[in-house]
């Protein structure tokens, strides 16, 4: 078997963080003296770069700065992490999936539009840090669907496009796969509908962690 690196999205793929992200967005807006955003619209835009998401759910008539909102969210999230209050349970079967893939000598990574501190806190909380060979965030690289994270992963691991796979739940994850020319697997348990993932160009769609495992080992 050729060596492969499986890059996983974090929010909506590894953990169910929707409740946490929506709460954090509301708190960040309040810290910035802004009206609460629509929770439904916040959830629908999980996975997008914040500057893009704000175009959808920022209150009209207010001057909303993406950097201010992002900094307020990070401050809130760091405080939640210190208190051990991250409300983002790991999806069923994902821990077992990582264990089984490692046993088969797959390299594993995370490619997320989260911040570095948010990702590190989440991985630590779920005792996942040791499973991943590489972690990529928007603190260091351009956000998905830009192919920057995939390109960086290939550079670090010295692997080629046919050895990389992106697994995710949003069109931004699939878009990274398309833009980077790597295999993409969409998961049905996240925050975007299956039809959106198919239309974006997902090579595979899976319904649970077992189907995901079988898809990966048969690539």
């Amino acid at each position: 078997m050729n060596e492969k690196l499986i890059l996983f999205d974090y929010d909506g793929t590894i953990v169910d963080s929707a409740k946490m992200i929506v709460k954090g967005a509301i708190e960040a807006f309040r810290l910035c003296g802004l009206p609460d955003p629509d929770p439904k619209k916040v959830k629908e835009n999980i996975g997008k770069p914040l500057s893009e998401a704000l175009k959808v759910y920022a209150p009209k008539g207010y001057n909303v700065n993406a950097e201010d909102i992002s900094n307020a969210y990070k401050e809130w999230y760091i405080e939640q992490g210190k208190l051990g209050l991250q409300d983002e349970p790991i999806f069923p079967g994902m821990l077992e999936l990582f264990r089984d893939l490692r046993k088969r000598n797959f390299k594993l990574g995370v490619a997320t539009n989260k911040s570095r501190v948010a990702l590190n806190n989440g991985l630590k909380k779920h005792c996942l840090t040791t499973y991943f060979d590489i972690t990529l965030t928007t603190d260091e690289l351009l956000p998905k669907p830009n192919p920057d994270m995939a390109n960086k992963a290939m550079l670090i691991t010295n692997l080629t496009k046919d050895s990389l796979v992106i697994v995710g739940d949003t069109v931004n994850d699939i878009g990274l796969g398309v833009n980077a020319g790597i295999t993409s697997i969409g998961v049905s348990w996240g925050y975007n509908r299956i039809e959106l993932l198919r239309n974006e160009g997902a090579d595979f769609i899976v319904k649970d962690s077992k189907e995901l495992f079988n898809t990966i080992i048969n690539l």
Side-chain angles (χ1 to χ4, degrees):
M1 180 186 71
N2 292 332
E3 187 176 46
K4 287 189 181 295
L5 170 64
I6 315 300
L7 291 173
F8 290 87
D9 171 55
Y10 190 73
D11 297 311
T13 301
I14 296 176
V15 300
D16 186 0
S17 49
K19 187 186 298 185
M20 180 89 171
I21 292 173
V22 170
K23 184 177 180 180
I26 291 172
E27 293 296 331
F29 272 60
R30 290 176 179 176
L31 286 169
C32 291
L34 298 167
D36 292 359
D38 182 338
K40 182 179 179 181
K41 289 183 179 179
V42 174
K43 184 176 180 179
E44 289 173 350
N45 286 275
I46 291 175
K48 288 183 179 179
L50 182 60
S51 59
E52 292 298 316
L54 285 175
K55 293 177 182 177
V56 179
Y57 61 74
K60 306 303 180 186
Y62 288 83
N63 183 20
V64 178
N65 184 288
E67 185 176 358
D68 291 343
I69 298 292
S70 177
N71 289 337
Y73 178 85
K74 288 178 183 178
E75 290 176 10
W76 175 84
Y77 192 95
I78 289 171
E79 185 62 25
Q80 298 300 295
K82 289 178 180 177
L83 298 172
L85 297 176
Q86 302 105 308
D87 187 7
E88 45 183 29
I90 190 167
F91 282 110
M94 293 306 290
L95 181 56
E96 294 78 7
L97 173 76
F98 299 144
R99 289 173 178 167
D100 291 342
L101 290 175
R102 294 294 287 187
K103 288 177 182 177
R104 288 178 176 253
N105 297 317
F106 283 91
K107 288 184 176 296
L108 305 181
V110 176
T112 177
N113 283 351
K114 290 177 84 70
S115 69
R116 170 59 60 187
V117 66
L119 176 63
N120 286 353
N121 282 350
L123 293 178
K124 182 178 179 180
K125 180 180 177 66
H126 292 295
C127 301
L128 294 174
T129 305
T130 58
Y131 288 100
F132 298 105
D133 301 282
I134 183 173
T135 56
L136 308 160
T137 79
T138 52
D139 282 355
E140 308 92 22
L141 299 158
L142 294 173
K144 300 172 289 184
N146 188 287
D148 200 25
M149 292 186 188
N151 293 335
K152 183 67 172 181
M154 286 186 279
L155 182 64
I156 292 173
T157 60
N158 199 32
L159 294 174
T160 57
K161 291 181 179 182
D162 59 353
S163 295
L164 256 67
V165 179
I166 178 69
V167 178
D169 70 301
T170 73
V171 294
N172 293 294
D173 304 312
I174 305 306
L176 177 144
V178 172
N179 292 333
I182 65 174
T183 298
S184 60
I185 303 175
V187 303
S188 64
W189 55 82
Y191 307 137
N192 278 182
R193 299 190 309 275
I194 291 175
E195 293 77 13
L196 290 176
L197 304 182
R198 286 202 180 101
N199 291 339
E200 191 66 25
D203 295 298
F204 303 92
I205 301 289
V206 297
K207 67 179 183 299
D208 55 35
S209 62
K210 290 183 179 179
E211 188 174 1
L212 177 55
F213 175 75
N214 289 329
T215 300
I216 289 172
I217 64 173
N218 286 302
L219 289 173

